Amino acid sequence: CNPRNPRPATVFNNANQHIDVYGDDVEVDYRGYEVTVENFVRLLTGRLPANTPRSKRLLTDEGSNILVYMTGHGGDGFLKFQDSEEITNVELADAFQQMWAKKRYNEIFFMIDTCQAASMFQLFYSPGILAVASSLVGEDSLSHHVDPAIGVYIIDRYTYYALEFLERVEPDSKRTMGEFMEVCPKRVCISTVGRRTDLFARDPYTVPITDFFGSVRKVDLSSTIVNVTKTDKVNNMSEKMSEKRGNKAEKFSQSDLFPIDTLLKGV
């Protein structure tokens, strides 16, 4: 952390510091130099090395609703990563198409806060995507207020009003995605919020906001009775497998997910 920061390892949505959005209940799976365009695309598409731990995988399927929020410095058709590389709207659109082809999502809510943000969803062509952007092409996305303690702006206007709306949402809320997409009119955002709904099959004003925020999982109930006890066929199969192994106990090993010796070699 920068030594000028009086509150290291914290992220607040306003200068009053009421809510630390980087609190103890937040899990960060990719940090620092792990946050690259390649890793982001691999995470979305599932093209990860076999030894990648579950915590660094997007474990979704055709029934999953996914929220993708992006922010940072951007321009017409790109968003910067680490100030050293950038992801383009073409790469992002193709990554979502791969996800659809591999049945990795049911619906996606794409939310981006950057300059010329709407350019990032212009090339989307996969079904089931609802998108909102903090500014149109040719517009800047502006900051909200400065924190005098550190002397920098701490949040953009669109994200500030989006968080203000979400702080009032409860798990049983009746608020809709359509309402959420109107949280920052031009009189407060100054930039013009962009929206894209043509790829989304449902009317956003009928979609509960908890479909994407709040971790509310849909459950399908079935009246069908399933027998989960062992059958003779399963017992016979277990006995045959045991005979093949010679009744010897199997040995298991765990791969080293944090290779200390490899890291020390580079020191």
Side-chain angles (χ1 to χ4, degrees):
C1 293
N2 191 301
R4 294 182 303 157
N5 185 3
R7 301 289 299 274
T10 55
V11 179
F12 296 98
N13 67 321
N14 61 59
N16 296 325
Q17 302 183 356
H18 291 314
I19 300 176
D20 180 8
V21 296
Y22 191 49
D24 295 335
D25 59 340
V26 176
E27 295 183 15
V28 180
D29 301 315
Y30 289 81
R31 66 178 72 239
Y33 292 108
E34 290 181 317
V35 183
T36 65
V37 172
E38 179 182 355
N39 283 346
F40 179 61
V41 173
R42 285 184 177 276
L43 175 69
L44 293 178
T45 59
R47 299 179 182 274
L48 294 164
N51 63 346
T52 303
R54 288 175 60 87
S55 63
K56 290 182 177 291
R57 295 177 181 270
L58 184 62
L59 303 174
T60 57
D61 55 32
E62 67 271 19
S64 302
N65 284 358
I66 301 174
L67 165 66
V68 179
Y69 170 77
M70 304 183 77
T71 187
H73 292 295
D76 190 356
F78 70 90
L79 179 72
K80 285 187 175 182
F81 273 56
Q82 302 285 12
D83 239 8
S84 60
E85 60 176 342
E86 56 195 38
I87 188 171
T88 67
N89 52 4
V90 175
E91 292 171 313
L92 193 57
D94 288 345
F96 285 161
Q97 176 57 26
Q98 288 185 53
M99 293 179 71
W100 175 255
K102 297 171 71 174
K103 298 182 178 181
R104 290 180 59 78
Y105 75 86
N106 172 49
E107 293 173 335
I108 289 177
F109 179 51
F110 178 75
M111 179 180 173
I112 182 166
D113 189 351
T114 185
C115 295
Q116 308 196 61
S119 65
M120 292 301 293
F121 63 56
Q122 284 182 331
L123 301 184
F124 288 176
Y125 56 97
S126 308
I129 301 178
L130 180 66
V132 63
S134 62
S135 57
L136 298 180
V137 177
E139 291 184 344
D140 292 332
S141 188
L142 305 177
S143 299
H144 188 267
H145 65 276
V146 70
D147 185 346
I150 56 178
V152 298
Y153 286 94
I154 60 173
I155 193 169
D156 288 334
R157 302 185 75 86
Y158 181 79
T159 299
Y160 176 86
Y161 289 105
L163 283 175
E164 187 178 59
F165 179 92
L166 292 172
E167 286 170 11
R168 298 192 296 268
V169 173
E170 301 293 337
D172 59 349
S173 175
K174 302 301 181 184
R175 295 295 190 93
T176 67
M177 292 301 296
E179 293 177 75
F180 179 68
M181 295 174 76
E182 296 179 350
V183 296
C184 198
K186 191 166 185 175
R187 60 183 172 80
V188 295
C189 244
I190 301 178
S191 59
T192 309
V193 174
R195 305 173 182 84
R196 186 162 179 195
T197 61
D198 59 299
L199 298 172
F200 199 68
R202 297 191 286 169
D203 178 1
Y205 288 93
T206 65
V207 179
I209 195 169
T210 49
D211 277 13
F212 293 96
F213 297 91
S215 300
V216 175
R217 184 183 295 274
K218 291 183 177 179
V219 178
D220 293 327
L221 299 178
S222 174
S223 59
T224 305
I225 299 175
V226 179
N227 184 6
V228 295
T229 59
K230 282 188 175 181
T231 62
D232 292 338
K233 184 177 180 180
V234 173
N235 287 328
N236 292 335
M237 187 178 297
S238 299
E239 291 174 1
K240 290 179 180 179
M241 292 297 293
S242 180
E243 291 174 2
K244 286 183 179 180
R245 293 193 300 263
N247 293 321
K248 294 181 179 180
E250 290 185 90
K251 294 182 179 180
F252 296 93
S253 62
Q254 182 175 358
S255 60
D256 188 1
L257 300 181
F258 195 70
I260 298 296
D261 56 337
T262 304
L263 294 175
L264 293 176
K265 289 179 181 178
V267 177

